[in-house]
Amino acid sequence: MTKSNKTVARIKSEYMNKYDAEMERSRLRKKRLIQRLIFAGVVIVVTFSLLASYHFKQRSLYSEKQKEYEDLTEQISILEREEKELLDEINLLNDVDYILDIARTNYFLSKEGELIFQVQEEEERSY
């Protein structure tokens, strides 16, 4: 026996034409559905990536700002202590007795009838 051709001839009828058209529409509909799903998936992935990137940038910016805030808070506390010390010094400088005491200590000024002796410090003395 010889090999027979196993192809079946298509019947050309109106029913087969409608069936072929319906199958073609179904195939195109499925293809468009797959394309829309792929497009939606790409949009979702890109959107998620952008949001994640934005989130991590904001976290790093927040941590930088938090560190800057802590540094400035520490600087403010230092400046407030310095301000308190300077205000205390201003109050002392408004006191006449304090000014006279500084003048006597630093500039060797004396009251009437008072003698001032300068004494060397322990480490400056040579025996």
Side-chain angles (χ1 to χ4, degrees):
M1 285 194 113
T2 63
K3 288 186 177 180
S4 64
N5 193 358
K6 297 213 179 200
T7 56
V8 177
R10 287 195 58 80
I11 300 174
K12 302 234 181 211
S13 71
E14 188 177 323
Y15 172 76
M16 288 306 290
N17 290 339
K18 285 182 183 178
Y19 179 76
D20 288 341
E22 180 64 33
M23 294 310 280
E24 184 65 22
R25 279 193 298 270
S26 176
R27 186 184 64 78
L28 289 176
R29 207 173 334 158
K30 189 181 272 187
K31 182 179 176 183
R32 283 188 294 245
L33 175 65
I34 291 172
Q35 287 174 345
R36 285 193 306 260
L37 288 175
I38 289 173
F39 178 74
V42 168
V43 167
I44 289 171
V45 167
V46 168
T47 303
F48 181 74
S49 299
L50 290 174
L51 288 175
S53 171
Y54 180 74
H55 175 72
F56 289 122
K57 286 179 185 176
Q58 289 296 316
R59 283 183 64 172
S60 67
L61 182 64
Y62 176 76
S63 65
E64 289 174 9
K65 293 295 181 184
Q66 187 70 23
K67 182 173 177 2
E68 182 180 346
Y69 174 78
E70 291 170 358
D71 292 343
L72 290 175
T73 304
E74 182 179 334
Q75 187 177 4
I76 284 175
S77 65
I78 291 170
L79 289 174
E80 286 174 344
R81 274 186 262 131
E82 185 178 333
E83 178 188 23
K84 184 181 181 302
E85 291 172 3
L86 290 174
L87 287 174
D88 290 344
E89 187 175 343
I90 287 172
N91 287 335
L92 287 174
L93 289 174
N94 287 332
D95 184 19
V96 175
D97 293 332
Y98 181 74
I99 293 174
L100 290 175
D101 190 40
I102 289 176
R104 292 177 74 198
T105 305
N106 294 343
Y107 303 109
F108 302 110
L109 296 177
S110 63
K111 295 179 182 178
E112 284 187 36
E114 183 180 38
L115 295 176
I116 297 178
F117 298 98
Q118 184 176 3
V119 180
Q120 291 181 345
E121 295 293 325
E122 288 291 325
E123 46 195 57
E124 293 179 5
R125 290 182 186 172
S126 59
Y127 291 110

